[in-house]
Every structure is written in structure tokens, then in C-alpha cells.
Amino acid sequence: MRLSSRLAMLVLLMSIAATATAHAQVARLEARPSRIAVTAGDSVRLELSAFDSRGNAIGANVRVAAPRGALNTRGWYQHGHIKGLVAGEYELIVTTIGEDTPVELRIPVVVNWPPPARVEIRAAGPSLYEGTTLEHEARVFHADGTRRPDPSVRWRSSNPTVATVDRFGHVIAVGRGSVAIAAMVDDTEASVEYTVGSFPGAELRISGGLDSIRTGDVQQFEVTTIDGRGSRLADVPVTWSYTVQLGEGVVAPAAPAQVDDGRFVADVPGVYTVLASAGSLTARKSFEVTQRNVIRKVDVMGQGRIQDHYTSDIWVWEGVDGRDYGMTGSRQGMSHAYIWDITDPTNIFKTDSIITDARSVNDVKVSPDGRYGVVSREGASNRRNGVVILDLSHPAHPTIASTYDEGLTGGVHNVYATNDYLFALSGGDKYVILDMSDLTNPRYVSEYNHPNSRVHDVWVHDGIAYSAEWGTGVVVVDVGNGRWGGTIENPVFVTSFPLPTGQTHAVFPYHQESTGKFLLFVGDEIIGRRGLAWEGTGPDVRQPYDPETGRGGYPRATAGYIQIVDFTDPEDPKMIARYEVAEYGTHNMWVEDDILYQAYYEGGVRMVDVSGELMGNLYTQGREIAVFKAHDPIGWIHNAPAAWGVMPHKGNIWFSDNTSGIWSIRLQERQTLVP
């Protein structure tokens, strides 16, 4: 594939050493090698040179851009190397900066996978009988233990008269006897053997499930195979399917429901029948699915308008003085963090501002006890960035207790605050843990840097740190839980869980009250929609409207969704559901009382019912409770919603909008439907 539009561009500013005068114009860029071939996980040296129109080597500032999830260019800044991450065909784009006419150089890059070290086959069950089907999955691992995503697998049956296998690993027993099913990737192979006997079942029985459920409710059915003597058989493969009867005149979408190993969920109301098949036997059970009906109206309580810059993240809390406060950050050229009194949500007003040495204040946080606040810094004039620690003894007018920048020179994009410790990201590469006992003198405790990974967000729950790390997915580290031997002074890696999009941006751990499960809500961030039918208006118009040029006045266009993972057992996580709204992309989130509060950029703030068992796409199941888009006719960008962060607090829903400031809304009580 060519340069992927779904991968964000990682931009680094570089300086090429040269011998000529600084004022000469660049006419040509040259790369050695001119084409790059590298194995995923390895690095290759890249040398860049600039020349003037006479062919003389000159100095130049350049920008090197690459697909962030596929190539790592940070190594070029450090030691002149480009690292391959994901197999495919890409381009490095080198562009001069500060020239009258920028010069561009495109360098083709091919990243190959390393040879597989082993192949593992996982079967959906232990046995095969004549007339049954059994699904198989091949997992491919490299020598360093990493798993190859979406491997190209060749399947083979040693005896097609006993069992056949298709290219997806579906094995169908067509006769009796012995057979071996092999999976091959490159020159590495694994196999599993079966002895296929006659089908022993005489009857199938379905149990479980209710006679009437709502869209989005998950039914769990069990099937029992009975032999001719009335005994239960435990190892017979079963194939699940369903049929549906809809109301008169209703045309169903392509998949009005889904069933997986006896778990069923419907998106569309109707009368459904689940079918379990094994050999020549079929069992069925019918039930009704009605509309979920969880919609509630929203009241707008108040707004704290910001008209002169982009607003970034938000945090709300009860101050030590008993009043309620909010703090917001700012983006792109503004160094402010604002303090708001939100005690009366209909009368939101600024009480103070914190001015820092930063181009952007991306993140703001407050410790759970309200003792201290944190302002992150990016683009500081001395490039040391770091964090600014606020003493919240007088929350309406915080004072700067200290600034910590040791080891945080690459920019702090996000932080996470506990009462005792602060987790601060460093240059998107690692997180540093600080002891916050003395606000005037934060003390370095430890850090965690996952190899070959870029970190964007971290959240800590019960002594476990869950970090969102782009193409790596979610990284789980014991930072004091102790189950895996970790302490705050000695973090210990537990596991990582890759996500399908490779753009893992935010993570929120949540103990689901209705089921007792521990879930991770994991969000993508995909800026731009190139290659999709709606690509957006382009990056050059994401600015206030300019009446002179007629440009600007629109928000960015985004993509991506929320992926929900069952992390009850951190060593065996399972993807169970998603929340995906077409044409919009997710940003930050909060989950409380079985409601997902999702900032969905230009899709606004969205409240979603996440109670009970979850399966499928929650959006298509009628689980949305409410949606609010902050159209502000006199905001920084007029009438251009761009929800950034959201947080419920004392019955109100507080969120920051990238183009218009801080907002408060409230869900109305659910009204009873009257026929």
C-alpha cells in the first residue's frame, strides 16, 4: 500500500550540517540511500544533503514526515536512523523550511516482516465429527515474541476425503478417518491432527435467553447435544445462525443482528429465531426484540466562551473551599490555563488564569483530593517543557508551587494525577512518575518506556497503569498493584493488547456496575478522512473565517471509534464491542454509572448506555441517550462544534469545545412514552 491516509503524519524539524553560507537557497535535496528497504523492528541509516543551484552543499532546515504507525523517524533526529514498524510500502517526505520556495524530496520505503519463528493454531473446539464444521485461527510470532498482524496463511488438509479446509481455516469433516490440518506462513508451518468419527448426536436442545429483550441486550444461549442413549455430549462442534421477521414494510440492514458462539444481540426490532446446527441436527428458539428507548433530552445550562484561541482539555472538581471549579487548557500559540467558578452552572465565570512558557497547554488535571493541579507544557521557549504544579489551597486563585522539567524535554502532551503521584508523558516516548508529597519539590520516582512504542495517554486504576500507545495498542503495567511484582518505584510490564485501527489515542478503565466486569474503553484518534467518501474540508480551513480571503470557519474532519475490551483478566483480554458513529472521530471520554460520556470532535458530546453485557456496535443498537453539538455563532470558529474533553460532575455534564470554550449541559429525566 502507498502512504496511508489513516496514519497521522509525525513531523520533526531537522537541521542538515553543511559548509556553505546560510543565506543560499536550496535547489535540490538528496538522500542516501535513495530508496529504503528495512525489516520491521530494524533500523537503517539515512543521510540527507542539500545543494544550491550550482551543486554546492549548503545548510538547510528540513521537515521529515512519515506515517506514524509504520515508520519511526525520531531515531533520525537522534542518530540518523529510520526504523520500520509495520510491513508495507510507504514514503518519507522531506521538505525544506524557511525557503522562498520549499523543496520536497520523496523517499520510497519498503518495510518487510521478519521471518516467522513459529505458527500456532487455535481451534474453536477439541473434536471433529462427520458433518460438522470447526473454525481455526493461525497466530504467527517473530523471534522477538511480537505477533504478526493479519498474516497471510495457507491452509492444507492431508486427507480431503476426511476433512476439507478453506482459506479462512474453516474445517469441514466430510468423512471418517485421520486427518492433519496445516497452517503455513512463509516457510514456517504448524499442524493439528484429528480422528474423525461418525456423528454421535441424536438431538440438539437450546436453553437460556428471554422471550423478550430490547435492541442492544445480549442473549446467551446454550446448546446441548444428546446421543441415542439420552446422554450429553460435551465436544460436538456447533454452528450458530439466525433468522428474523420484521414489521410490515420494514427493510432490514444487511446485518440486523449478530450471533457468536451462542451470544446474540440485535440492532433492529423484530421476531428473531436463533438456530444451532451440528451434523444433520438443528435446534431453534424464537423471541421478540423491541426498541431500546433510552433517549433523553438535554438542557443547556451555561457556557464559558473563549473566542481568541483553541480550547483543549477540561477538568472539574470540588475545591477545598466547598465551591466547584473547572480548569481548561489552550492550544496553538496560547500559554494559558483558565480557572472557572462553576458552582452555578448557569453562571460560569473565570476567576484566574495561569500563564506558562508554552505554545500549547494540552492537558490539565487535578488530584482527587483537590490539593494540587497540573498544567502540561509543549513548545516551551527553552524546549524543556515539563509540567507546572499548582497549589490549590485557594482554588479560585491558584499559585504556581513549582515547575518540573527534568527528563520531560520532548513536550508533555498528557498527565494523570493521583493524590500522591503524578504520571507525566515525556515526548510521547515514556511516562515519568513523580512523588507529589511536597508540591514545591516534586521528586522523580521511576519511569516506564515501552520498547518501540509511542505513548499518548495514561490512566491509573488500582495500582495498574493503562497507556494508549498508538500502533502498540494498550500497554498494561503494574505500578503498585503487586500482582505481577510491580511497585511505584519499579513498574513491571503485564501485557499489551493491539487494537485493529492502530491509532490508539485514549484509554479509560471502568468497573461495570451492572455485570461486575472490568472494561477498558479505548479511543482512536484519526485526523483527516482521506480515502473516505466524506474527506472533510481540508486542513487549511480549520481557522477563524477570514472575510478577506473567504477561507476558514470549519472544524477539522476526523475518523475513529471507541473499542471496548473486557479486561477482567488482564492476562486474557477480549474485545467485546465498539461505539462507532459514521463521519466523526473520537477524542477524550469518561464512563460513570454505566453511561459513556464521549467527546466526539465535530460529532459533539454523546451519552451512551453501556449497561449490561455489551456486543456489536452500540451506536446501531439505539443505546445513544443524547447528543449535543456546541454551535456557537461567535466562538473562535463560528458554529463549528469540536468536542475535546468531557466529565460529569454533580448532575451536570461538563465539556470543553475546541472552538468555543467550556459548556455545561444536563440530561432531563427520561419521559414515559405515551401511545
Side-chain angles (χ1 to χ4, degrees), residues 58 70 94 147 162 183 207 226 277 314 338 356 373 376 399 457 462 472 483 487-488 534 541 565 602:
I58 59 174
V94 183
R147 181 178 166 189
V162 174
S207 59
I226 307 297
S277 301
I314 182 175
Y338 291 117
T356 68
S376 72
T399 57
D457 187 27
D462 193 23
T472 307
R483 175 178 167 184
T487 64
I488 198 71
W534 163 242
V541 295
V565 186
E602 66 272 28

Side-chain angles (χ1 to χ4, degrees), residues 634-651:
I634 54 174
W636 172 237
I637 299 179
H638 301 173
N639 287 320
W644 180 284
V646 59
M647 191 174 174
H649 182 70
K650 294 186 178 180

Side-chain angles (χ1 to χ4, degrees), residues 580-603:
E580 181 177 11
V581 182
E583 296 194 4
Y584 305 123
T586 63
H587 201 245
N588 294 340
M589 76 205 87
W590 196 279
V591 188
E592 189 173 292
D593 297 330
D594 283 356
I595 296 178
L596 165 66
Y597 300 90
Q598 181 63 54
Y600 225 111
Y601 270 135
E602 66 272 28

Side-chain angles (χ1 to χ4, degrees), residues 546-562:
D546 183 352
E548 296 291 328
T549 63
R551 306 292 292 174
Y554 296 92
R556 61 167 37 126
T558 57
Y561 57 93
I562 296 298

Side-chain angles (χ1 to χ4, degrees), residues 151-389:
S152 178
V153 182
R154 305 187 309 277
W155 293 92
R156 185 185 69 237
S157 169
S158 66
N159 191 349
T161 64
V162 174
T164 62
V165 58
D166 65 16
R167 63 191 182 96
F168 306 108
H170 300 155
V171 176
I172 303 174
V174 295
R176 305 172 195 175
S178 298
V179 65
I181 304 299
M184 295 157 286
V185 178
D186 298 338
D187 296 325
T188 305
E189 179 177 319
S191 64
V192 59
E193 296 181 352
Y194 295 100
T195 299
V196 180
S198 60
F199 182 70
E203 180 187 359
L204 291 182
R205 299 173 184 172
I206 289 182
S207 59
L210 302 174
D211 293 332
S212 181
I213 61 171
R214 303 171 300 169
T215 54
D217 288 343
V218 178
Q219 293 264 58
Q220 178 66 63
F221 297 101
E222 303 291 339
V223 65
T224 304
T225 307
I226 307 297
D227 66 13
R229 300 178 179 180
S231 300
R232 295 188 176 188
L233 301 171
D235 59 350
V236 176
V238 174
T239 300
W240 290 89
S241 59
Y242 71 88
T243 63
V244 60
Q245 295 173 282
L246 302 178
E248 184 176 353
V250 177
V251 178
Q258 54 185 290
V259 61
D260 180 19
D261 196 24
R263 297 178 75 239
F264 171 93
V265 67
D267 293 2
V268 179
V271 176
Y272 289 81
T273 300
V274 293
L275 301 99
S277 301
S280 61
L281 302 178
T282 299
R284 64 187 63 221
K285 182 169 183 177
S286 299
F287 52 94
E288 180 185 27
V289 177
T290 61
Q291 189 63 47
R292 193 169 190 87
N293 289 329
V294 295
I295 293 175
R296 295 162 64 178
K297 294 183 178 181
V298 170
D299 290 325
V300 179
M301 306 303 292
Q303 178 193 4
R305 180 176 286 117
I306 296 178
Q307 296 176 284
D308 56 353
H309 63 269
Y310 292 111
T311 301
S312 60
D313 217 348
I314 182 175
W315 198 266
V316 296
W317 78 101
E318 180 180 316
V320 295
D321 59 0
R323 296 185 66 81
D324 294 321
Y325 296 93
M327 180 160 51
T328 57
S330 54
R331 292 279 296 167
Q332 297 183 2
M334 294 297 294
S335 57
H336 294 74
Y338 291 117
I339 308 300
W340 307 81
D341 189 310
I342 64 169
T343 307
D344 178 0
T346 66
N347 182 29
I348 306 167
F349 59 92
K350 293 177 188 174
T351 63
D352 213 331
S353 62
I354 307 298
I355 301 177
T356 68
D357 178 7
R359 182 179 61 86
S360 290
V361 173
N362 184 76
D363 198 16
V364 292
K365 290 288 193 300
V366 173
S367 61
D369 59 9
R371 182 172 63 94
Y372 71 93
V374 187
V375 174
S376 72
R377 298 197 307 173
E378 293 178 286
S381 62
N382 62 1
R383 297 188 178 183
R384 291 188 64 85
N385 297 297
V387 292
V388 176
I389 309 302

